[in-house]
Amino acid sequence: MFRYLPVRKVHARQVLDSRGNPTVEVEVTVGEGVIGINGYTARAIVPSGASTGRFEAVELRDGKKGYYTGLSVEKAVQNVNTRLADAVTGENALDQNRIDQILIDTDGTDNKSSVGANATLGVSMAVARAAAMALRVPLHQYLGGCHTKIMPVPMMNILNGGKHADNTVDLQEFMIMPAGAENFEEGIRMCVEIYQLLRILLKERGLSTAVGDEGGFAPDLADSRDILAVIVQAVEKAGYRPGKEIWIAIDAAASELYDEKLDCYYFPGESQMKGKEILRNAEEMIDYYESLLEEFPIVSIEDGLQEDDWDGWQKMTERLGGRVQLVGDDLFVTNIKRLKCGIQLKAANAILVKVNQIGTLSEAMDAVEMAQRAGYRAVISHRSGETEDDFIADLAVATGAGQIKTGAPCRSDRNAKYNQLLRIAERLEKMAVYENPFEKQGTDRDF
Ligand code: PGA
Ligand code: ZN
């Protein structure tokens, strides 16, 4: 139908994310005819992290005192409306790689610190969406091609801690994965049932059922064993078998626990609850995970060690990599340079992919491709600061990543993604593929 679909107009504005912080929304119009007649307009909103990796691309914030607590993004908005709009207007929206290269070149820095990764990403996603719209194909099919059919297994973060809540849980995320479900829809149902039972179990123990940034409960529990035990209890109460239908994933977000001076990981919640300082060095962290793996149906550990400890990551992968997925989030920051380094060192065996860590869609897709070629897995992920934008749902299907991490089945910023995936599953119908990514890991155990 089209070979040349020009970008006609690019417009950004400041909107709000799920934490009430300003973020960038970009609207892109493409089309050959007159705008409004043959034009197609799509929009995208940029997410934002709290436990951000040190090596992430730069999220440009204004830092104006007494104004949106310094977090406004007016400069980034301005950069879209001037420098980026000038650069991509007239360019072919069907050539996403080229569009993204123009965004990268216009910024001109290594870490998008000139225009901001929040500026480039908004344009990148909105262009892709407008192109798909003009071609009248669903976004996942546009991004992934006609063979796209792999639905992701959700990693549902049902218990929040770390920087995402004010409770005593030190590890940031405890997630359930319905890898044994028949299909995506059934997986969602199982997770929702478990989530609702977890609420009841926490309530019965007199614990808080208020939720953290990603919609998971945030009770004052401190010991990981206690947390994992109550999750397993909720799974069983819902009528599912841990280690057969439902598995557990953890995001330790260890960079946040790391104390550089002590070269140790400090557990503030556990220390407070136990009335003594709980510190673990890298070796002890690995021992700790190993013991948890023995006791609980854990299939995935993300950021088990901090972002600079390549040595520790190598050791952890050597010791645990054969039986558990080790995901690099802050370690790789969706950056192929860091991923390449990890692959060479045999550090981790999976990458977390967050589009705003790198700032363009093409670069995020490059990271997935590099991972898959090296036999690493990829997990498409939200940020703790999210919006109604459901782009990553389509991206997860398009890349065939097989896993998506997008919070609890609670709060519309999280459910926007699950709901879009339910629509995609309905569209794919019997063509949809839903597989246990951990089959070869020997995860099918009795607990
Ligand atoms: P963030 O958390 O978006 O705050 O970085 C998510 C994660 O660490 O995976
Ligand atoms: Zn993480």
Side-chain angles (χ1 to χ4, degrees), residues 126-160:
V127 166
R129 216 179 232 146
M133 199 188 263
L135 293 174
R136 297 193 181 85
V137 291
L139 182 58
H140 55 276
Q141 198 183 328
Y142 173 67
L143 297 175
C146 63
H147 197 56
T148 300
K149 59 182 176 191
I150 299 177
M151 293 300 298
V153 174
M155 260 185 186
M156 275 211 191
N157 179 10
I158 59 171
L159 204 139
N160 295 189

Side-chain angles (χ1 to χ4, degrees), residues 166-442:
D166 295 326
N167 57 352
T168 55
V169 175
D170 296 318
L171 303 185
Q172 184 178 276
E173 303 171 20
F174 288 83
M175 300 170 276
I176 45 172
M177 298 191 72
E182 276 297 305
N183 52 40
F184 179 79
E185 298 91 315
E186 191 188 47
I188 291 287
R189 178 172 58 77
M190 289 164 130
C191 289
V192 167
E193 289 167 1
I194 294 162
Y195 180 77
Q196 303 301 0
L197 279 163
L198 181 60
R199 181 200 307 275
I200 294 169
L201 288 174
L202 293 173
K203 223 176 168 146
E204 277 173 6
R205 285 176 58 176
L207 291 161
S208 164
T209 54
V211 298
D213 285 351
E214 298 186 348
F217 300 116
D220 275 336
L221 290 168
D223 196 298
S224 296
R225 285 190 170 78
D226 202 10
I227 295 163
L228 289 161
V230 72
I231 290 174
V232 165
Q233 205 187 341
V235 171
E236 284 170 343
K237 219 173 161 132
Y240 303 115
R241 293 168 301 168
K244 296 275 182 199
E245 285 144 334
I246 302 283
W247 284 267
I248 294 175
I250 289 175
D251 180 4
S255 303
E256 303 294 332
L257 302 173
Y258 183 64
D259 185 316
E260 213 177 323
K261 279 199 212 92
L262 301 172
D263 189 25
C264 259
Y265 298 84
Y266 176 59
F267 285 62
E270 201 176 333
S271 302
Q272 186 194 321
M273 299 290 269
K274 292 185 177 163
K276 59 175 182 190
E277 302 283 271
I278 306 285
L279 287 159
R280 294 180 175 99
N281 64 25
E283 205 69 38
E284 288 163 342
M285 288 292 272
I286 302 171
D287 294 341
Y288 181 56
Y289 297 132
E290 191 165 32
S291 67
L292 293 179
L293 285 181
E294 299 295 327
E295 278 176 62
F296 297 97
I298 296 168
V299 279
S300 180
I301 299 171
E302 178 182 329
D303 280 355
L305 294 172
Q306 54 105 351
E307 60 208 342
D308 277 314
D309 189 8
W310 291 106
D311 247 22
W313 272 92
Q314 268 182 306
K315 283 189 196 123
M316 179 164 68
T317 310
E318 215 178 286
R319 278 181 57 188
L320 309 179
R323 1 179 213 148
V324 71
Q325 174 171 270
L326 296 169
V327 187
D329 169 12
D330 290 354
L331 181 73
F332 294 140
V333 291
T334 316
N335 184 324
I336 54 166
K337 286 190 196 140
R338 290 188 65 87
L339 176 60
K340 197 171 182 179
C341 182
I343 291 168
Q344 279 164 357
L345 294 172
K346 294 199 172 70
N349 56 27
I351 180 174
L352 198 77
V353 175
K354 293 167 161 168
V355 281
N356 81 321
Q357 278 182 330
I358 192 71
T360 66
L361 189 54
S362 301
E363 289 168 287
M365 292 175 86
D366 283 346
V368 178
E369 199 173 87
M370 180 183 278
Q372 288 170 338
R373 286 203 175 138
Y376 275 43
R377 296 197 195 108
V379 182
I380 306 299
S381 171
H382 66 162
R383 296 310 303 249
S384 50
E386 266 294 335
T387 70
E388 66 270 30
D389 192 299
D390 56 13
F391 198 99
I392 59 163
D394 285 81
L395 184 63
V397 180
T399 53
Q403 296 176 68
I404 189 168
K405 170 173 130 155
T406 188
C410 173
R411 302 296 183 208
S412 288
D413 39 297
R414 311 298 142 182
N415 283 339
K417 282 68 163 175
Y418 294 126
N419 290 343
Q420 174 64 0
L421 284 163
L422 288 168
R423 288 178 206 112
I424 296 172
E426 182 185 66
R427 176 181 167 270
L428 290 173
E429 239 188 17
K430 290 196 177 64
M431 299 300 125
V433 174
Y434 184 86
E435 287 172 341
N436 177 356
F438 309 111
E439 213 130 49
K440 291 195 194 92
Q441 218 168 266

Side-chain angles (χ1 to χ4, degrees), residues 15-17 21-26 44-48 59 61 117-123 125 355-356 383 385-387 389:
V15 296
L16 299 177
D17 74 11
N21 293 329
T23 189
V24 179
E25 173 172 87
V26 178
I45 317 180
V46 177
S48 171
E59 178 182 80
R61 299 254 177 214
N118 42 351
T120 55
L121 180 66
V123 177
M125 293 196 296
V355 281
N356 81 321
R383 296 310 303 249
E386 266 294 335
T387 70
D389 192 299

